[in-house]
């Protein structure tokens, strides 16, 4: 693959990878967000249930205490005008009850609203003697039997729930007993628990709250008429009842609403047995952020694992392909080595006949010289005998040179490149082909100079034997073979030219193709193998195009 194409593929793969990550994030973020909100909603509902039941049981305790006090005989006696010890005993009873129950105050009013007895009867701020006839809880209780009102104390200015119940005698009201409950402790507990919670009345005005600044704010806008009534009921002065900014700015939503993901808080609401509602706010954004973060981490981890798996698969496939390629290369190399050997054997077949002749001749001469030597020795002509034996030594050495060359040629190549002298290689090839040269009466013109080239001697000799054998095959009796060495373009060129018929256009076209031969017993491998060997040396074999005959150029790298 060319470079721009692979770069393009890399860029495309990177973009696809990034898109995959973004798409995975979009999907996983949505899932994580919804799950976080569902969990926040659930948490809110559970908190609302628990906090509501705590508030209600607190409320119920005081409601019951007030109900019991409405039947109290001492209370009735006090209302009937008894004072002295009876009044003291009742005051003490209220004091003890208020302390034990944790009420802010418990007190008894007559039909005019005048306080006759009170739990704080001995304190400087005592209600005894105060008239509460103007308070709504008194008037409503006188009218309807009982009433509950959340309001500020007229003296203390502390907010609390007033639970008022009418006392009757003979079906007629004789007074009202009132418990005032303050929720400071409950609010402190809420704050300590870290929950954002508040209770509203039926109009949505915040009465009890974990955040004091929110008291008397509203969760919805109120009409002017309702506002005025509420202000009166709460005894809250003239300050307007403003909507809590969180609600005003729409930062609170129900957990199942579609737009809840953009809200700051999810709201759980629980209806209480009076007409109040308990609201629990659960912060959404932190839970969402944490859920999105952890889901992104797991998405990234999964993608990384997937990527690593892909890489491992690519690696495994590559290494399998690499192995197959290597096996093929090994097979090809083995095959070409076998072909080289085959070509050599074919050459050896031709050479052997000539070499046999080459060896037979000196052997016959050796036999003649040794028998002469024996005769000379018998005659005591030691000088002549020595002369004959010296000739034998010379002939034996010549035979040794020929067989050594033959063995060297037949040997497999080592593959090691060295500096090789061209004249040595030429000499070896001529020795092997000497008999054929002699038979054809061929003339060999040797190069004037020598050159050192980078090659392996045995294989270079094989190339030269192939080329010379082809020239001898092509030439007639008295063929001329011309060997010359030249330097060209930093290469050493050994040219072998003959004066034979040369190469026809057809032969030239398939010259270096395996098994293309014009000879009856030819293999058509010589030139193919010779060219491969030359390429192995970092050189080449070129068929030149001379005017007459054929010429091949062996181009070789000079030895360093
Ligand atoms: P082979 O010698 O077995 O035929 P080669 O590959 O050595 O195989 O040679 C292929 C063919 O090239 C020969 O058959 C011959 O036709 C031609 N050829 C090679 N050298 C010469 C040459 N010096 N003169 C003419 N033809 C040649």
């Amino acid at each position: 693959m060319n470079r721009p194409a692979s770069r393009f593929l890399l860029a495309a793969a990177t973009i696809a990878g990034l898109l995959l990550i973004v798409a995975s994030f979009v999907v996983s973020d949505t899932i994580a967000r919804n799950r976080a909100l569902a969990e926040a909603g659930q948490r809110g509902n559970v908190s609302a249930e628990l906090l509501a039941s705590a508030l209600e049981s607190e409320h119920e305790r005081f409601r019951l205490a007030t109900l019991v006090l409405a039947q109290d005989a001492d209370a009735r006696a006090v209302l009937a005008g008894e004072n002295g010890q009876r009044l003291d005993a009742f005051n003490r009873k209220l004091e003890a009850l208020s302390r034990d129950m944790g009420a802010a105050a418990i007190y008894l009013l007559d039909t005019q609203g005048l306080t006759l007895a009170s739990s704080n009867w001995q304190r400087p701020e005592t209600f005894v003697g105060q008239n509460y006839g103007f308070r709504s809880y008194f008037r409503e209780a006188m009218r309807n039997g009982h009433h509950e009102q959340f309001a500020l104390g007229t003296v203390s200015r502390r907010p609390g729930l007033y639970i008022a119940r009418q006392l009757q005698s003979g079906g007629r009201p004789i007074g009202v007993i009132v418990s005032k409950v303050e929720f400071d402790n409950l609010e402190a507990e809420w704050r300590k628990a870290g929950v954002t919670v508040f209770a509203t009345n039926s109009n949505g005005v915040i009465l009890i709250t974990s955040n004091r600044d929110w008291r008397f704010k509203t969760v919805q806008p109120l009409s002017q008429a309702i506002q005025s009534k509420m202000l009166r009921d709460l005894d809250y002065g003239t300050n307007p009842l403003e909507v809590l900014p969180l609600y005003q700015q729409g930062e609170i939503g129900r957990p199942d609403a579609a737009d809840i993901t953009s809200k700051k808080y999810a709201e759980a609401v629980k209806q209480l047995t009076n007409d109040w509602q308990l609201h629990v706010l659960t912060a959404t954004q932190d839970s969402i952020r944490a859920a999105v973060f952890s889901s992104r981490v797991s998405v990234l981890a999964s993608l990384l694992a997937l990527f690593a798996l892909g890489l491992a698969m690519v690696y495994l496939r590559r290494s399998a392909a690499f192995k197959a390629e290597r096996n093929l290369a090994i097979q090809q190399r083995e095959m070409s080595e076998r072909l080289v050997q085959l070509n050599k054997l074919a050459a050896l077949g031709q050479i052997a006949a000539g070499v046999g002749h080459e060896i037979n001749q000196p052997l016959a001469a050796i036999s003649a010289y040794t028998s002469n030597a024996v005769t000379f020795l018998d005659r005591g002509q030691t000088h002549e005998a020595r002369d004959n034996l010296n000739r034998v030594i010379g002939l034996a050495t010549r035979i040794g040179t020929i067989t050594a060359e033959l063995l060297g040629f037949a040997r497999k190549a080592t593959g090691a490149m060295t500096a090789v002298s061209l004249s040595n290689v030429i000499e070896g090839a001529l020795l092997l082909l000497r008999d054929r040269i002699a038979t054809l009466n061929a003339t060999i013109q040797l190069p004037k100079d020598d050159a050192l080239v980078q090659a392996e001697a045995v294989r270079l000799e094989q190339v030269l034997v192939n080329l010379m054998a082809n020239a001898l095959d092509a030439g007639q009796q008295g063929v001329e073979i011309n060997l010359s060495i030249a330097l060209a373009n930093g290469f050493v060129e050994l040219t072998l030219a003959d004066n034979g018929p040369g190469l026809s256009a057809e032969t030239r076209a398939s010259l270096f193709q395996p098994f293309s031969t014009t000879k009856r017993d030819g293999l058509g491998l010589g030139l193919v193998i010779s060219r491969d060997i030359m390429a192995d040396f970092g050189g080449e074999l070129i068929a030149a195009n001379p005017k007459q005959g054929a010429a091949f150029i062996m181009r070789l790298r000079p030895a360093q």
Side-chain angles (χ1 to χ4, degrees), residues 46-321:
V46 171
S47 300
E49 288 287 344
L50 290 173
L51 297 172
S53 70
L55 179 58
E56 281 197 317
S57 72
E58 180 87 341
H59 193 166
E60 197 58 28
R61 257 179 350 118
F62 290 105
R63 197 179 282 151
L64 280 172
T66 317
L67 187 68
V68 171
L69 281 173
Q71 310 301 325
D72 190 271
D74 287 340
R76 288 165 181 278
V78 170
L79 285 172
E82 274 202 45
N83 46 24
Q85 280 196 348
R86 196 90 198 249
L87 179 59
D88 283 0
F90 187 59
N91 268 326
R92 266 190 214 100
K93 184 192 272 185
L94 292 183
E95 187 178 9
L97 198 62
S98 170
R99 192 181 53 235
D100 295 348
M101 289 192 68
I106 305 177
Y107 48 104
L108 181 69
L109 311 177
D110 70 8
T111 50
Q112 300 308 305
L114 181 72
T115 312
L116 302 180
S118 174
S119 57
N120 55 12
W121 66 297
Q122 278 182 314
R123 302 246 189 109
E125 74 275 13
T126 180
F127 293 172
V128 177
Q130 297 282 342
N131 192 303
Y132 294 114
F134 64 95
R135 300 289 306 242
S136 306
Y137 60 81
F138 168 75
R139 279 186 280 143
E140 290 294 327
M142 282 298 284
R143 199 178 304 143
N144 301 323
H146 63 93
H147 189 68
E148 287 183 11
Q149 184 197 2
F150 193 92
L152 292 174
T154 43
V155 178
S156 69
R157 305 308 293 165
R158 290 166 65 87
L161 179 66
Y162 294 84
I163 302 171
R165 188 161 282 275
Q166 191 188 80
L167 287 90
Q168 289 184 351
S169 178
R172 290 189 40 226
I174 53 169
V176 171
I177 182 91
V178 184
S179 301
K180 184 188 177 189
V181 190
E182 290 174 0
F183 295 93
D184 299 30
N185 289 341
L186 189 70
E187 288 180 337
E189 266 172 39
W190 286 352
R191 272 195 297 280
K192 222 164 77 187
V195 283
T196 306
V197 52
F198 55 85
T200 54
N201 67 10
S202 57
N203 288 311
V205 180
I206 297 174
L207 305 177
I208 311 171
T209 165
S210 60
N211 185 339
R212 272 194 212 119
D213 298 340
W214 292 359
R215 199 184 322 279
F216 301 137
K217 297 271 188 292
T218 67
V219 297
Q220 70 209 19
L222 303 183
S223 71
Q224 201 55 50
I226 293 182
Q227 258 209 55
S228 313
K229 182 181 177 304
M230 279 321 324
L231 284 174
R232 249 192 342 268
D233 285 355
L234 294 171
D235 201 355
Y236 183 54
T238 51
N239 288 351
L241 296 166
E242 286 165 345
V243 178
L244 187 70
L246 281 178
Y247 283 91
Q248 183 106 52
Q249 289 150 15
E251 293 193 71
I252 291 171
R254 293 291 160 98
D256 49 0
D259 61 348
I260 183 67
T261 41
S262 59
K263 305 285 182 190
K264 216 169 176 178
Y265 293 101
E267 180 185 45
V269 180
K270 175 90 174 89
Q271 185 68 44
L272 302 178
T273 41
N274 57 359
D275 55 1
W276 291 7
Q277 287 188 320
L278 190 86
H279 303 246
V280 172
L281 301 186
T282 313
T284 51
Q285 298 309 311
D286 282 352
S287 321
I288 289 177
R289 260 195 297 279
V292 164
F293 178 74
S294 76
S295 96
R296 282 192 184 180
V297 167
S298 43
V299 162
L300 268 186
S302 318
L303 286 177
L304 271 180
L306 214 66
F307 184 63
L309 197 73
L311 274 188
M313 277 172 70
V314 168
Y315 174 76
L316 286 178
R317 284 177 68 167
R318 280 241 177 113
S319 70

Side-chain angles (χ1 to χ4, degrees), residues 447-463:
K448 288 178 202 72
D449 315 304
D450 189 12
L452 284 176
V453 295
Q454 289 181 50
E456 192 204 349
V458 180
R459 288 200 289 162
L460 188 56
E461 194 179 293
Q462 185 177 357
V463 175

